[in-house]
């Protein structure tokens, strides 16, 4: 996932701050099936439990991510592989026999890299492992060579006087902290998403960051920068964490340090890709929709297995499990493969715009986009009336090791734009302690996925989607829910 826009950054910060307000579970775990029967029919509960059990016997959608990463591989939004992925996804979902499969357009600016190089040239010579950041402009041919100024973090960059960095290469060394819920990402990622434009304003000639990631391996972590037409930026690269350590040590020698940075990359003004949507048509309220999703695009390095091929597999398997029931759910269930998440949530924005006058009919949105770690808690942003229903759903998820985590959710990055219109949202929060070891690197490949965890995830999404579709009440939407996560 990305969280590079102010919109999503805010979501990360607010989401992560409240993550620690765990609701006491004592009263909840004392509830049993009987209390849930006051909310759901006996049959709906029996189906939920059977989905849970079936899910645990399935493969969690591992075959889906395996096929996606093998046949398509990396699929940067706007690249030829993106178009192939959309075509593959539509065919795949049709083959699976969903009631309806269709495409919805999303148009966005995009970018592609040709090459990047970052080298310490003095007082020692050392080539760094590096990746250009999304939307980095190219350097002049032959690159730029300049003295390096090292800054602690984004705040230091904002504070530094232009006279100190003019004509220099800025290196921001902030280090992302590891956390189960990814809490280290929000504070660290500003250096990536917004740093180069600040550096440009202050007259620097290139911008280098320590990778926003927790890996100690020699892989650089790329990721998007905020892009606005007409705002000047600088050639910008991330160096791997061990290389950043090396650069810090060289800076520590106390002599002037010079680097050479070269980037060749191209900006594409407008490209149209598609969200791919599969429907299980509701039997009673076909126009009301439970939306579960993941994003189909990935970065152009690795094969986008954890980010977000795993999510694509998980929600597809959840859909397959529900589709294989004899009975159709009351509300429709949509499985959404979002376009162009990584470079600015464009699929999520397009979906929100398309549905903006219709959010009363969207029961809830929940996206799987945090790798393939086990889910440990459910959080929800719903109306007060729906809260007992969420408690009951949490109770059905408890056997999967999932606890009720409290009120307040954003639904994942691609449902964030819809959240701005007050859509109800649920987060099934995954353990992401290792997620940022691989995030946006060449090392995000299929072998990093533990299929057992996907099984737990898919099982949980199936139970969640089914019971959300059978809920006796709407989860609510509108002004009351705006900003409440
Ligand atoms: Zn992602």
């Amino acid at each position: 996932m990305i969280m590079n826009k102010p919109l999503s950054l805010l979501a990360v910060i607010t989401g992560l701050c409240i993550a620690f307000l765990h609701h006491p579970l004592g009263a909840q775990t004392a509830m049993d099936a009987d209390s849930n029967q006051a909310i759901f029919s006996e049959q709906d509960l029996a189906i939920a439990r059977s989905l849970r059990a079936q899910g645990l016997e399935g493969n969690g959608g591992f075959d889906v991510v395996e096929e996606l990463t093998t046949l398509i591989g990396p699929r940067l939004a706007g690249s030829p592989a993106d178009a192939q992925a959309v075509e593959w996804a539509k065919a795949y979902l049709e083959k699976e026999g969903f009631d309806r499969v269709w495409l919805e357009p999303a148009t966005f600016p995009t970018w592609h890299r040709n090459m990047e190089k970052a080298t310490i040239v003095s007082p020692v010579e050392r080539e760094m492992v590096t990746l250009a950041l999304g939307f980095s402009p190219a350097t002049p041919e032959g690159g730029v060579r300049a003295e390096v100024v090292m800054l602690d973090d984004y705040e230091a960059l904002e504070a530094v006087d232009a006279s100190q960095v003019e004509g220099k290469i800025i290196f921001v060394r902030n280090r992302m902290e590891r956390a189960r819920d990814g809490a280290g990402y929000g504070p660290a990622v500003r250096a990536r998403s917004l740093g180069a434009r600040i550096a440009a304003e202050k007259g620097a000639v290139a911008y280098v960051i320590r990778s926003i990631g927790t890996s100690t391996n020699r892989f650089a972590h790329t990721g998007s920068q905020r892009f606005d037409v007409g705002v000047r930026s600088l050639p910008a690269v991330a160096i791997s964490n061990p290389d950043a350590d090396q650069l810090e040590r060289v800076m520590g020698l106390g002599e002037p340090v010079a680097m050479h940075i070269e980037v060749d990359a191209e900006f594409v003004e407008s490209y149209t890709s598609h969200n791919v949507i599969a429907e299980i048509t509701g039997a009673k309220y076909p126009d009301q929709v439970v939306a579960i999703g993941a994003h189909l695009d990935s970065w152009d390095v690795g094969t986008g297995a954890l980010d977000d091929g795993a999510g694509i597999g998980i929600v597809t398997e959840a859909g397959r499990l529900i589709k294989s029931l004899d009975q159709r759910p009351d509300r429709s269930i949509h499985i959404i493969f979002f376009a162009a998440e990584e470079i600015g949530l464009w699929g999520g924005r397009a979906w929100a715009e398309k549905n903006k006058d219709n959010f009363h009919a969207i029961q809830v949105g929940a996206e799987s986009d945090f790798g393939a770690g086990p889910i440990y808690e459910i959080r929800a942003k719903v109306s007060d009336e729906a809260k007992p229903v969420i408690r009951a759903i949490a109770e059905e998820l408890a056997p999967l090791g999932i606890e009720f985590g409290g009120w307040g959710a954003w639904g994942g990055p691609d449902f964030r734009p819809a959240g701005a219109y007050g859509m109800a949202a649920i987060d099934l929060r995954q353990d992401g302690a290792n997620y940022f070891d691989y995030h946006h690197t060449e090392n995000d490949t299929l072998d990093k996925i533990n299929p057992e965890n996907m099984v737990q995830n898919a099982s949980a999404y199936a139970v969640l989607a089914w019971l959300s579709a059978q809920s006796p009440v709407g989860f609510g939407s509108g002004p009351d829910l705006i900003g409440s996560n």
Side-chain angles (χ1 to χ4, degrees):
M1 80 179 151
I2 58 151
M3 299 165 178
N4 64 314
K5 304 276 169 177
L7 171 95
S8 45
L9 181 61
L10 180 71
V12 174
I13 293 165
T14 52
L16 296 175
C17 292
I18 53 181
F20 299 100
L21 305 174
H22 287 242
H23 200 280
L25 287 162
Q28 181 64 9
T29 44
M31 284 173 67
D32 58 19
D34 292 334
S35 55
N36 279 357
Q37 278 173 18
I39 291 168
F40 291 108
S41 73
E42 207 171 311
Q43 192 194 9
D44 285 344
L45 281 177
I47 290 174
R49 289 162 194 171
S50 135
L51 284 168
R52 191 173 67 208
Q54 292 283 314
L56 293 176
E57 280 169 24
N59 73 0
F62 186 80
D63 62 312
V64 182
V65 56
E66 184 175 29
E67 190 170 315
L68 174 62
T69 55
T70 304
L71 293 181
I72 313 287
R75 44 199 182 278
L76 183 67
S79 69
D82 178 24
Q84 285 169 22
V86 167
E87 202 178 309
W88 168 85
K90 182 165 182 284
Y92 196 98
L93 293 167
E94 281 169 350
K95 185 189 73 189
E96 290 289 347
F98 286 97
D99 297 329
R100 227 158 49 96
V101 179
W102 70 97
L103 306 183
E104 293 181 357
T107 299
F108 47 85
T110 185
W111 170 92
H112 66 264
R113 84 181 70 241
N114 294 320
M115 64 80 72
E116 57 274 275
K117 215 169 166 182
T119 313
I120 302 173
V121 289
S122 117
V124 298
E125 246 185 79
R126 193 85 58 200
E127 188 164 343
M128 315 257 96
V129 169
T130 190
L131 283 173
L133 300 179
F135 293 109
S136 168
T139 54
E141 213 174 314
V144 294
R145 182 190 163 125
E147 191 181 323
V148 179
V149 175
M150 181 166 76
L151 299 171
D152 284 343
D153 51 24
Y154 178 76
E155 287 69 26
L157 173 63
E158 278 192 309
V160 73
D161 195 83
S163 66
Q164 288 178 266
V165 296
E166 218 177 318
K168 310 269 173 69
I169 292 170
I170 293 178
F171 167 51
V172 175
R173 65 171 176 177
N174 74 182
R175 189 185 290 268
M176 182 185 159
E177 298 294 332
R178 184 184 298 278
R180 179 172 74 162
D181 63 2
Y185 191 62
V189 80
R190 274 174 295 181
R192 186 189 80 208
S193 53
L194 298 167
R197 59 168 60 194
I198 308 277
E201 277 168 23
K202 299 196 178 197
V205 295
Y207 183 68
V208 180
I209 57 168
R210 173 187 283 279
S211 282
I212 308 302
T214 49
S215 173
T216 56
N217 289 312
R218 243 184 134 202
F219 291 98
H221 298 242
T222 189
S224 206
Q225 303 179 85
R226 179 163 171 185
F227 174 78
D228 295 294
V229 176
V231 174
R232 200 173 87 81
S233 193
L234 285 181
V237 302
I239 55 176
S240 82
N241 275 315
D243 285 293
D245 295 342
Q246 167 79 9
L247 179 53
E248 284 196 39
R249 286 193 301 273
V250 174
M251 296 292 300
L253 298 174
E255 296 175 50
V257 174
M259 285 185 82
H260 174 261
I261 306 291
E262 188 170 4
V263 175
D264 185 23
E266 281 162 66
F267 168 71
V268 180
E269 201 170 292
S270 177
Y271 178 88
T272 298
S273 184
H274 294 87
N275 293 333
V276 185
I277 305 180
E279 178 180 279
I280 301 168
T281 309
K284 270 196 199 163
Y285 315 111
D287 295 337
Q288 292 184 27
V289 170
V290 171
I292 57 174
H295 66 85
L296 186 59
D297 67 306
S298 77
W299 271 102
D300 55 346
V301 293
T303 57
L306 288 168
D307 189 10
D308 184 23
I312 292 289
I314 287 162
V315 297
T316 301
E317 172 73 352
R320 287 195 294 219
L321 289 162
I322 294 170
K323 184 179 62 63
S324 68
L325 297 169
D326 293 332
Q327 189 185 335
R328 281 287 177 264
D330 288 350
R331 294 177 180 81
S332 291
I333 294 171
H334 286 184
I335 292 105
I336 309 177
F337 293 1
F338 286 102
E341 188 269 354
E342 294 291 3
I343 59 170
L345 313 178
W346 295 102
R349 291 169 197 245
W351 187 81
E353 280 307 305
K354 189 173 167 60
N355 289 289
K356 69 181 174 191
D357 298 321
N358 195 37
F359 277 113
H360 57 276
I362 309 286
Q363 173 79 334
V364 70
E367 181 176 32
S368 173
D369 182 24
F370 205 53
I375 296 168
Y376 62 91
E377 72 177 17
I378 176 174
R379 300 179 58 89
K381 180 181 75 172
V382 296
S383 65
D384 287 343
E385 197 191 6
K387 286 178 176 174
V389 180
I390 300 298
R391 292 281 196 166
I393 292 174
E395 195 63 22
E396 297 306 319
L397 295 173
L400 296 171
I402 298 169
E403 296 185 336
F404 174 70
W407 306 117
W410 67 315
D414 286 301
F415 287 118
R416 178 65 183 167
Y421 292 109
M423 186 187 73
I426 289 178
D427 297 344
L428 292 180
R429 291 163 68 99
Q430 293 166 289
D431 185 328
N434 301 322
Y435 180 60
F436 290 101
D437 290 346
Y438 309 109
H439 187 245
H440 300 178
T441 72
E442 291 284 8
N443 212 13
D444 178 1
T445 48
L446 189 68
D447 54 296
K448 309 308 182 307
I449 295 177
N450 176 347
E452 275 177 37
N453 290 337
M454 282 188 73
V455 162
Q456 184 247 17
N457 274 263
S459 207
Y461 270 91
V463 170
L464 173 69
W466 168 257
L467 289 177
S468 299
Q470 304 308 101
S471 169
V473 299
F475 286 178
S477 69
D480 289 356
L481 292 184
I482 291 175
S484 65
N485 70 329

